[in-house]
Amino acid sequence: MTMQTVSLNRSYGGTQGVYKHASRATGTDMTFSVYVPPHQDGARLPVVWYLSGLTCTHANVTEKGDFRAACAELGLIFIAPDTSPRGADVPGDANNAYDFGLGAGFYVDATQEPYARNYRMWSYVTEELPQLVANQFPIDSSRQSILGHSMGGHGALTIALRHPDRYRAASAFAPIVAPSQVPWGIKALGGYLGDDKAAWRKHDAVALIEDGARFPEFLVDQGDADNFLTEQLRPELLQSACAKAGIPLTLRHQPGYDHSYYFISTFMADHLRWHAARLKG
Protein backbone atom coordinates (compact mmCIF):
# COMPACT_ATOMS: atom_id res chain seq x y z
CA MET A 1 0.00 0.00 0.00
CA THR A 2 1.33 3.40 -0.97
CA MET A 3 0.83 6.56 1.06
CA GLN A 4 0.96 10.22 0.04
CA THR A 5 2.19 12.90 2.44
CA VAL A 6 -0.26 15.81 2.47
CA SER A 7 1.56 17.94 5.05
CA LEU A 8 4.42 17.61 7.54
CA ASN A 9 5.13 19.97 10.43
CA ARG A 10 7.38 20.04 13.49
CA SER A 11 5.82 20.23 16.93
CA TYR A 12 7.34 19.69 20.40
CA GLY A 13 10.38 18.14 18.76
CA GLY A 14 8.27 15.58 16.91
CA THR A 15 6.50 15.46 13.57
CA GLN A 16 2.82 16.04 12.84
CA GLY A 17 1.90 14.55 9.50
CA VAL A 18 -1.27 14.27 7.44
CA TYR A 19 -1.40 11.46 4.89
CA LYS A 20 -3.66 10.09 2.16
CA HIS A 21 -3.98 6.67 0.58
CA ALA A 22 -6.34 4.66 -1.60
CA SER A 23 -8.33 2.39 0.70
CA ARG A 24 -9.30 -1.12 -0.29
CA ALA A 25 -11.86 -1.27 2.51
CA THR A 26 -13.83 1.85 1.57
CA GLY A 27 -13.05 2.07 -2.14
CA THR A 28 -12.12 5.74 -1.66
CA ASP A 29 -9.14 7.87 -0.81
CA MET A 30 -8.79 8.18 2.96
CA THR A 31 -6.95 10.85 4.91
CA PHE A 32 -5.50 10.43 8.42
CA SER A 33 -3.02 12.14 10.71
CA VAL A 34 -0.09 10.78 12.71
CA TYR A 35 1.98 12.52 15.35
CA VAL A 36 5.38 10.91 15.99
CA PRO A 37 7.15 12.24 19.11
CA PRO A 38 10.91 12.78 19.34
CA HIS A 39 12.66 9.45 19.79
CA GLN A 40 15.96 7.65 19.34
CA ASP A 41 16.77 6.05 16.01
CA GLY A 42 15.52 2.48 15.92
CA ALA A 43 13.07 2.88 18.79
CA ARG A 44 9.60 1.35 18.52
CA LEU A 45 6.94 3.43 20.22
CA PRO A 46 3.53 2.76 21.75
CA VAL A 47 0.56 4.04 19.76
CA VAL A 48 -2.74 5.64 20.77
CA TRP A 49 -5.62 5.50 18.29
CA TYR A 50 -8.15 8.34 18.44
CA LEU A 51 -11.61 8.00 16.88
CA SER A 52 -13.57 11.18 16.22
CA GLY A 53 -17.26 11.97 16.50
CA LEU A 54 -20.12 12.96 14.24
CA THR A 55 -19.34 15.47 11.45
CA CYS A 56 -15.60 15.28 12.17
CA THR A 57 -12.60 14.36 10.05
CA HIS A 58 -9.03 13.64 11.15
CA ALA A 59 -8.53 17.40 11.29
CA ASN A 60 -10.72 18.18 14.30
CA VAL A 61 -8.56 16.49 16.90
CA THR A 62 -5.37 17.22 14.98
CA GLU A 63 -6.04 20.95 15.15
CA LYS A 64 -8.00 21.23 18.42
CA GLY A 65 -7.08 18.23 20.56
CA ASP A 66 -4.04 19.55 22.47
CA PHE A 67 -2.39 16.13 22.49
CA ARG A 68 1.09 16.80 21.09
CA ALA A 69 2.78 18.17 24.21
CA ALA A 70 1.68 15.17 26.27
CA CYS A 71 2.56 12.72 23.49
CA ALA A 72 6.04 14.26 23.18
CA GLU A 73 6.52 14.02 26.94
CA LEU A 74 5.24 10.45 27.15
CA GLY A 75 6.67 9.07 23.91
CA LEU A 76 3.32 8.21 22.31
CA ILE A 77 2.43 8.01 18.62
CA PHE A 78 -1.06 9.47 18.10
CA ILE A 79 -3.12 8.37 15.08
CA ALA A 80 -6.42 9.97 14.00
CA PRO A 81 -8.37 8.38 11.12
CA ASP A 82 -11.36 9.92 9.35
CA THR A 83 -14.88 9.03 10.48
CA SER A 84 -16.30 7.85 7.16
CA PRO A 85 -15.51 7.43 3.46
CA ARG A 86 -15.74 10.57 1.34
CA GLY A 87 -16.04 11.40 -2.33
CA ALA A 88 -18.45 12.51 -5.02
CA ASP A 89 -19.75 8.98 -5.53
CA VAL A 90 -20.13 8.09 -1.84
CA PRO A 91 -23.80 8.07 -0.79
CA GLY A 92 -24.80 10.27 2.12
CA ASP A 93 -28.01 10.92 4.00
CA ALA A 94 -30.91 11.63 1.65
CA ASN A 95 -31.83 14.72 3.66
CA ASN A 96 -28.23 15.82 4.27
CA ALA A 97 -28.59 15.15 8.00
CA TYR A 98 -25.41 15.35 10.07
CA ASP A 99 -25.97 12.09 11.97
CA PHE A 100 -25.89 9.60 9.09
CA GLY A 101 -23.75 9.11 6.00
CA LEU A 102 -20.79 11.41 5.33
CA GLY A 103 -18.99 12.15 8.59
CA ALA A 104 -21.07 9.56 10.43
CA GLY A 105 -19.72 6.13 9.55
CA PHE A 106 -20.23 4.81 13.12
CA TYR A 107 -17.24 2.47 12.79
CA VAL A 108 -19.25 -0.42 11.33
CA ASP A 109 -19.11 -2.40 8.09
CA ALA A 110 -22.42 -1.63 6.38
CA THR A 111 -24.43 -4.49 4.92
CA GLN A 112 -27.29 -2.43 3.47
CA GLU A 113 -27.40 -0.74 0.08
CA PRO A 114 -26.34 1.78 -1.04
CA TYR A 115 -23.84 1.95 1.85
CA ALA A 116 -22.27 -1.51 1.80
CA ARG A 117 -19.74 -0.69 -0.93
CA ASN A 118 -18.05 2.22 0.86
CA TYR A 119 -19.05 2.31 4.54
CA ARG A 120 -16.60 -0.26 5.88
CA MET A 121 -15.06 1.74 8.69
CA TRP A 122 -14.75 -1.25 11.04
CA SER A 123 -12.47 -3.04 8.58
CA TYR A 124 -10.64 0.17 7.80
CA VAL A 125 -9.87 1.10 11.42
CA THR A 126 -9.20 -2.39 12.77
CA GLU A 127 -7.43 -3.99 9.80
CA GLU A 128 -6.35 -1.87 6.84
CA LEU A 129 -5.05 1.28 8.49
CA PRO A 130 -3.15 -0.56 11.27
CA GLN A 131 -1.35 -2.62 8.63
CA LEU A 132 -0.46 0.50 6.66
CA VAL A 133 0.90 2.52 9.56
CA ALA A 134 2.80 -0.44 11.02
CA ASN A 135 4.85 -0.51 7.83
CA GLN A 136 5.41 3.26 7.66
CA PHE A 137 5.99 4.44 11.25
CA PRO A 138 8.10 3.27 14.25
CA ILE A 139 5.18 1.55 15.97
CA ASP A 140 5.36 -1.15 18.61
CA SER A 141 2.24 -3.11 17.70
CA SER A 142 2.32 -4.92 21.04
CA ARG A 143 1.63 -1.62 22.82
CA GLN A 144 -1.57 -0.11 21.46
CA SER A 145 -4.48 1.69 23.07
CA ILE A 146 -7.62 3.42 21.84
CA LEU A 147 -9.81 6.37 22.78
CA GLY A 148 -12.47 8.48 21.15
CA HIS A 149 -15.18 11.11 21.46
CA SER A 150 -18.95 10.68 21.14
CA MET A 151 -19.46 8.42 18.07
CA GLY A 152 -15.71 7.80 18.28
CA GLY A 153 -16.09 6.89 21.95
CA HIS A 154 -18.62 4.30 20.84
CA GLY A 155 -16.08 3.04 18.32
CA ALA A 156 -13.24 2.92 20.85
CA LEU A 157 -15.25 1.00 23.44
CA THR A 158 -16.67 -1.55 20.98
CA ILE A 159 -13.34 -2.13 19.24
CA ALA A 160 -11.59 -2.64 22.59
CA LEU A 161 -14.27 -5.04 23.79
CA ARG A 162 -14.00 -7.11 20.61
CA HIS A 163 -10.18 -6.99 20.52
CA PRO A 164 -9.13 -7.14 24.18
CA ASP A 165 -5.83 -8.81 23.34
CA ARG A 166 -4.79 -6.01 20.97
CA TYR A 167 -5.35 -2.92 23.13
CA ARG A 168 -3.90 -2.37 26.58
CA ALA A 169 -6.15 0.60 27.42
CA ALA A 170 -9.41 2.17 26.27
CA SER A 171 -11.03 5.44 27.25
CA ALA A 172 -13.61 7.87 25.94
CA PHE A 173 -14.95 11.39 26.07
CA ALA A 174 -18.77 11.55 26.14
CA PRO A 175 -19.24 8.21 24.36
CA ILE A 176 -22.44 6.84 22.85
CA VAL A 177 -22.40 3.78 25.10
CA ALA A 178 -25.61 2.03 23.99
CA PRO A 179 -26.39 2.99 20.37
CA SER A 180 -29.13 0.36 20.16
CA GLN A 181 -31.10 2.38 22.72
CA VAL A 182 -30.65 6.00 21.54
CA PRO A 183 -31.78 7.94 18.43
CA TRP A 184 -28.33 8.48 16.89
CA GLY A 185 -27.49 4.81 17.13
CA ILE A 186 -30.87 3.45 16.08
CA LYS A 187 -30.73 5.55 12.91
CA ALA A 188 -27.14 4.59 12.12
CA LEU A 189 -27.25 0.89 12.98
CA GLY A 190 -30.59 0.44 11.24
CA GLY A 191 -29.42 2.29 8.16
CA TYR A 192 -26.08 0.52 7.86
CA LEU A 193 -26.90 -2.94 9.25
CA GLY A 194 -30.63 -3.35 8.62
CA ASP A 195 -33.26 -4.70 10.98
CA ASP A 196 -31.23 -7.57 12.48
CA LYS A 197 -30.83 -6.46 16.09
CA ALA A 198 -28.31 -9.25 16.73
CA ALA A 199 -25.95 -7.50 14.30
CA TRP A 200 -26.46 -4.25 16.21
CA ARG A 201 -25.32 -5.83 19.48
CA LYS A 202 -21.82 -6.39 18.07
CA HIS A 203 -21.50 -2.59 17.80
CA ASP A 204 -23.01 -1.62 21.15
CA ALA A 205 -20.68 -1.46 24.18
CA VAL A 206 -23.42 -2.14 26.72
CA ALA A 207 -24.81 -5.05 24.70
CA LEU A 208 -21.34 -6.51 24.16
CA ILE A 209 -20.72 -6.49 27.92
CA GLU A 210 -24.13 -8.05 28.55
CA ASP A 211 -23.23 -10.75 26.01
CA GLY A 212 -19.95 -11.59 27.74
CA ALA A 213 -17.29 -9.30 26.25
CA ARG A 214 -14.71 -8.08 28.74
CA PHE A 215 -11.92 -5.50 29.00
CA PRO A 216 -9.61 -4.83 31.96
CA GLU A 217 -10.89 -1.31 32.71
CA PHE A 218 -12.28 1.87 31.18
CA LEU A 219 -11.89 5.60 31.77
CA VAL A 220 -14.76 7.88 30.69
CA ASP A 221 -15.10 11.64 31.05
CA GLN A 222 -18.54 13.17 30.64
CA GLY A 223 -19.48 16.84 30.85
CA ASP A 224 -22.61 17.46 32.90
CA ALA A 225 -23.57 20.45 30.67
CA ASP A 226 -23.53 18.27 27.53
CA ASN A 227 -26.72 18.86 25.52
CA PHE A 228 -26.69 15.22 24.37
CA LEU A 229 -26.20 13.65 27.78
CA THR A 230 -29.66 12.36 28.62
CA GLU A 231 -30.98 11.48 25.15
CA GLN A 232 -27.96 10.19 23.21
CA LEU A 233 -25.06 9.35 25.57
CA ARG A 234 -26.52 7.82 28.75
CA PRO A 235 -23.29 6.89 30.58
CA GLU A 236 -25.31 5.37 33.42
CA LEU A 237 -26.06 2.40 31.15
CA LEU A 238 -22.35 1.68 30.78
CA GLN A 239 -21.86 2.18 34.51
CA SER A 240 -24.55 -0.38 35.26
CA ALA A 241 -23.28 -2.91 32.71
CA CYS A 242 -19.69 -2.62 33.96
CA ALA A 243 -20.79 -2.99 37.58
CA LYS A 244 -22.71 -6.18 36.80
CA ALA A 245 -19.80 -7.59 34.78
CA GLY A 246 -17.12 -6.62 37.27
CA ILE A 247 -15.31 -4.33 34.81
CA PRO A 248 -13.62 -1.41 36.60
CA LEU A 249 -14.97 1.85 35.19
CA THR A 250 -13.75 5.30 36.19
CA LEU A 251 -16.62 7.59 35.18
CA ARG A 252 -15.81 11.23 35.83
CA HIS A 253 -18.65 13.75 35.58
CA GLN A 254 -17.05 17.10 34.76
CA PRO A 255 -19.13 20.06 36.03
CA GLY A 256 -19.97 22.71 33.45
CA TYR A 257 -18.36 21.00 30.45
CA ASP A 258 -20.24 20.46 27.19
CA HIS A 259 -19.70 18.24 24.12
CA SER A 260 -17.08 20.42 22.42
CA TYR A 261 -13.35 20.18 21.81
CA TYR A 262 -12.81 22.63 24.66
CA PHE A 263 -13.94 19.76 26.89
CA ILE A 264 -11.78 17.20 25.11
CA SER A 265 -8.64 19.32 25.08
CA THR A 266 -9.01 20.09 28.79
CA PHE A 267 -8.77 16.42 29.77
CA MET A 268 -6.78 14.98 26.86
CA ALA A 269 -3.46 14.98 28.76
CA ASP A 270 -5.12 13.13 31.67
CA HIS A 271 -6.24 10.40 29.29
CA LEU A 272 -2.88 10.15 27.58
CA ARG A 273 -1.05 9.80 30.89
CA TRP A 274 -3.55 7.11 31.90
CA HIS A 275 -2.88 5.31 28.62
CA ALA A 276 0.89 5.71 28.90
CA ALA A 277 0.90 4.05 32.32
CA ARG A 278 -0.75 0.98 30.79
CA LEU A 279 1.46 0.95 27.71
CA LYS A 280 4.75 0.69 29.59
CA GLY A 281 7.03 -2.28 29.05
Side-chain angles (χ1 to χ4, degrees), residues 79-147:
I79 302 176
D82 202 346
T83 55
S84 69
R86 300 179 192 272
D89 297 327
V90 177
D93 184 83
N95 298 314
N96 293 319
Y98 74 94
D99 57 356
F100 188 78
L102 299 178
F106 258 81
Y107 305 101
V108 304
D109 282 353
T111 59
Q112 303 302 298
E113 297 301 334
Y115 306 104
R117 180 169 63 91
N118 302 118
Y119 285 80
R120 298 184 54 79
M121 291 303 296
W122 181 271
S123 291
Y124 179 71
V125 169
T126 66
E127 298 174 14
E128 184 178 14
L129 189 57
Q131 292 172 9
L132 174 63
V133 298
N135 292 326
Q136 300 287 340
F137 299 96
I139 287 170
D140 181 350
S141 296
S142 70
R143 293 188 289 161
Q144 299 188 71
S145 67
I146 191 165
L147 76 155

Side-chain angles (χ1 to χ4, degrees), residues 228-248:
F228 305 112
L229 176 58
T230 57
E231 183 180 26
Q232 305 284 9
L233 307 178
R234 303 191 63 186
E236 73 278 1
L237 296 178
L238 180 65
Q239 188 172 39
S240 176
C242 285
K244 291 178 181 177
I247 299 174

Side-chain angles (χ1 to χ4, degrees), residues 33 82 88 243 279:
S33 74
D82 202 346
L279 291 168

